[in-house]
Amino acid sequence: MYSIRGPTAGVMITHCNARVCVARRAQCVRVRVTQQAGDASTSAPSSHVQEVYAPAPERLNDYKHAVSMEDFRTLGHEVVDWIADYYGRLEGLRVKPDVQPGYLAGKLPGAAPEEPEPWADVMSDFEDKIMPGVVHWQHPRFFAYFNANASAPGLLADMLMGALNMIGFSWAASPASTELEIVAMDWLAKLVGLPARFLHSSSGTGGGVIQGTTSEAVVVALLAARARTMEGRPAADKLRLVAYGSDQAHSCCQKACMVVGIDHVRVLPARADNGWALDPQDLARAMDADAAAGLLPCFALGTIGTTSSCAVDPIGAMGDECGRRSVWLHVDAAYAGSAAVAPEMREQYFGGLDAVDSYSFNPHKWLLTNFDCCAMWVADTGPLKAALSLTPVFLRGTGNALDFKDWQLPLGRRFRALKLWMVLRMYGGKSLRAYVRHHIALAQYFSNQVLADPRFEIAAPTRFGLVCFRLKDTPPATNRALLEAINAGGDMFLIHTELGGRHTIRMAIGSTGTQLVHVQQAWLGIQAAATRVLDAASSSKEGEN
């Protein structure tokens, strides 16, 4: 034991042989620091004990990574070759795997290894155990859900993003990612013809930001709407807020209300005779009824391209009704928004955006930008920042006004702007327009084939790349059996929805590699499946008689 004393403090040191120190292979030194009397900051001597661990010398040696950068160079070439080969053989694979829930249990160890395992073994397990359970979303005969486009520029950008691995929550944390996002979002806004008030470069207060998904964008829009409505009101008024959307809107709208705590949610019915679009007069009546009942209409969701049928709500009329009542209008164009790169699509389906408060669509669905990339714009960032801005002392610094952390739910954010920027540069507007028009033409071709077969009917107007169809004059069980037969062989993958309570099959065309031949193959397979199902139903009916 020894003591070191200065003018105002004393230090007394002893050694410790506690088991924790032995386990750490370190020597624990207990340091007693005494604050001497006479210091202006204290009126009496005081002391405390602080434990300081001296690490074992060998633990201070340079750490050697299990996979070096030279290893990575070799393995990276191998992975790029694997990816290129995968896309080359993709067409010959089953679209959907033939596995059941829990298939992977027992195929992999119950715990991570203690020692590094060789790449060859890891890749072998990837091929033999992981890949058999993969749904091939990039398959040219993947016609389910809405697509998740990938492209060569997007893949290359993902590699670079992973290498840089920046957590760009603020301008100071990543000037490049912040400023490239500003540029890329303005580029994209101009490409799809958005009003100037949504541009960062405009003289107004609007701008764009990249969210992860539409679900995040809707939550953010709802928080901004709540902040604007609640300005100057007592906190208790939050319990009176009301949100509106149609029964064709994506479920993320109702989930956003659950997350934000909006207790009053009006799901307004859309009708077949209105193309499954929301009637703005139904919205107006619902808002007025709630206001008369003492509630606060706050938020409305309009959709361009609903999931079930690609219905398009009358955004301009909705904007007029919401504007009269100071209700925030957000437009979800998650899938269909990419079609706005084509001027004829903008003219037909994207009118009225001057009247909306926020707008979003997903370039990762139909604009060749690998998941995840949801482009969102707001006409006025004030309510958005009022709802989400929080800058602790350790994040305060230069460029805080540009921080995108104040435009989203999480703090951390990926360098998503890089892949959007690369796709826009390496494709260009002309190629992107041709890509979207190609899929729209394929959807119209498929729709025409369906109409030419008297056994089928089109269940909703064909819009964008979605065709909704079903067998005519058959019970729901027959159409369910048809979908099962279509998917059974694994050559293609489609899903269903319900329109007016009727089982309806969706053909969503938009995969990166889909060509006319793939649509033709799918239609031949669907026709053959229909023949089998209808024959089986007829035989069963005859047997009953």
Side-chain angles (χ1 to χ4, degrees):
M1 181 184 298
Y2 60 91
S3 171
I4 302 175
R5 296 183 182 274
T8 60
V11 179
M12 197 167 285
I13 301 177
T14 60
H15 294 286
C16 171
N17 293 315
R19 280 181 296 176
V20 66
C21 297
V22 175
R24 295 186 185 186
R25 298 190 64 193
Q27 184 181 49
C28 175
V29 179
R30 288 185 175 177
V31 183
R32 179 177 295 278
V33 180
T34 303
Q35 182 72 47
Q36 298 299 307
D39 191 309
S41 64
T42 182
S43 58
S46 64
S47 66
H48 65 275
V49 174
Q50 179 179 344
E51 291 186 346
V52 179
Y53 289 91
E58 63 270 22
R59 293 193 175 180
L60 297 176
N61 294 337
D62 289 352
Y63 178 79
K64 183 179 180 181
H65 286 275
V67 181
S68 69
M69 277 295 109
E70 283 307 309
D71 294 331
F72 173 80
R73 186 189 303 277
T74 300
L75 300 178
H77 283 293
E78 183 179 326
V79 169
V80 169
D81 285 343
W82 185 94
I83 292 171
D85 291 344
Y86 167 72
Y87 276 87
R89 63 188 172 91
L90 187 55
E91 187 173 347
L93 301 178
R94 286 181 61 100
V95 184
K96 190 180 180 189
D98 186 17
V99 297
Q100 298 300 317
Y103 91 97
L104 199 55
K107 293 183 181 294
L108 297 176
E114 275 297 309
E115 298 296 329
E117 295 185 350
W119 169 255
D121 291 354
V122 175
M123 196 62 185
S124 176
D125 280 352
F126 171 74
E127 288 272 22
D128 299 339
K129 298 172 182 177
I130 308 302
M131 285 298 291
V134 167
V135 174
H136 297 286
W137 280 69
Q138 303 309 308
H139 198 290
R141 289 188 299 277
F142 180 97
F143 302 116
Y145 314 112
F146 282 128
N147 301 88
N149 281 182
S151 66
L155 287 166
L156 294 170
D158 268 336
M159 292 177 66
L160 295 173
M161 288 163 57
L164 297 173
N165 203 30
M166 296 186 293
I167 315 298
F169 43 78
S170 67
W171 182 91
S174 182
S177 66
T178 300
E179 299 199 14
L180 186 61
E181 188 158 337
I182 292 171
V183 170
M185 289 301 290
D186 272 9
W187 280 13
L188 185 60
K190 293 174 183 177
L191 188 64
V192 298
L194 290 187
R197 67 195 190 116
F198 287 115
L199 300 178
H200 288 280
S201 56
S202 73
S203 59
T205 57
V209 60
I210 301 178
Q211 307 285 356
T213 65
T214 292
S215 296
E216 295 171 54
V218 174
V219 171
V220 167
L222 186 53
L223 287 169
R226 185 179 71 176
R228 189 175 76 176
T229 303
M230 289 297 299
E231 186 176 5
R233 293 182 175 273
D237 279 357
K238 287 182 181 179
L239 300 177
R240 300 163 54 206
L241 300 178
V242 192
Y244 306 84
S246 88
D247 59 1
Q248 298 299 301
H250 195 276
S251 60
C252 69
C253 180
Q254 294 185 56
K255 193 168 188 177
C257 292
M258 293 165 59
V259 171
V260 176
I262 303 297
D263 294 331
H264 306 283
V265 183
R266 307 291 181 245
V267 181
L268 306 174
R271 302 183 308 275
D273 62 4
N274 199 34
W276 300 110
L278 178 63
D279 186 333
Q281 292 308 308
D282 289 345
L283 174 63
R285 283 189 288 269
M287 291 190 292
D288 288 345
D290 284 329
L295 299 176
L296 291 173
C298 171
F299 175 85
L301 181 80
T303 307
I304 299 177
T306 60
T307 301
S308 285
S309 67
C310 264
V312 177
D313 289 335
I315 301 304
M318 290 179 67
D320 290 342
E321 299 297 346
C322 290
R324 293 189 188 104
R325 297 161 179 83
S326 298
V327 171
W328 185 288
L329 177 59
H330 177 75
V331 174
D332 166 21
Y335 159 69
S338 297
V341 298
E344 67 275 15
M345 291 289 105
R346 288 204 296 271
E347 183 177 352
Q348 186 171 0
Y349 296 116
F350 292 86
L353 294 180
D354 280 322
V356 311
D357 295 288
S358 54
Y359 175 81
S360 65
F361 81 93
N362 297 342
H364 67 237
K365 276 188 165 63
W366 199 16
L367 210 61
L368 297 164
T369 306
N370 299 33
F371 187 84
D372 54 352
C373 182
C374 172
M376 178 186 184
W377 292 267
V378 291
D380 179 7
T381 61
L384 181 71
K385 292 182 178 181
L388 293 168
S389 290
L390 182 64
T391 304
V393 64
F394 50 83
L395 293 182
R396 294 172 191 163
T398 303
N400 277 149
L402 301 176
D403 293 354
F404 279 122
K405 68 178 177 57
D406 298 329
W407 297 48
Q408 63 175 26
L409 296 176
L411 175 64
R413 56 197 333 270
R414 302 173 67 231
F415 193 2
R416 300 184 187 99
L418 184 64
K419 57 188 172 184
L420 177 60
W421 178 72
M422 285 192 171
V423 167
L424 294 177
R425 288 197 65 182
M426 296 180 73
Y427 273 87
K430 183 178 179 179
S431 292
L432 292 174
R433 283 189 287 274
Y435 176 73
V436 166
R437 286 167 174 158
H438 174 63
H439 286 152
I440 293 171
L442 292 179
Q444 192 58 59
Y445 170 88
F446 181 84
S447 180
N448 292 340
Q449 303 307 302
V450 173
L451 288 170
D453 189 325
R455 300 174 298 174
F456 289 92
E457 65 181 359
I458 296 295
T462 296
R463 300 185 186 93
F464 309 111
L466 181 67
V467 183
C468 296
F469 68 100
R470 58 193 171 216
L471 290 167
K472 282 182 183 176
D473 304 323
T474 57
T478 304
N479 274 298
R480 284 195 291 268
L482 173 58
L483 182 60
E484 291 177 6
I486 289 170
N487 290 331
D491 293 331
M492 66 185 100
F493 182 27
L494 286 75
I495 65 168
H496 78 283
T497 188
E498 286 190 358
L499 292 173
R502 298 185 62 186
H503 193 281
T504 301
I505 300 173
R506 297 169 72 259
M507 176 82 168
I509 297 172
S511 189
T512 306
T514 299
Q515 306 290 0
L516 176 59
V517 64
H518 304 116
V519 175
Q520 292 172 329
Q521 291 167 350
W523 175 236
L524 290 174
I526 290 167
Q527 286 183 302
T531 298
R532 295 193 301 272
V533 167
L534 290 172
D535 286 350
S538 178
S539 298
S540 176
K541 190 172 182 180
E542 290 175 2
E544 292 174 0
N545 294 332

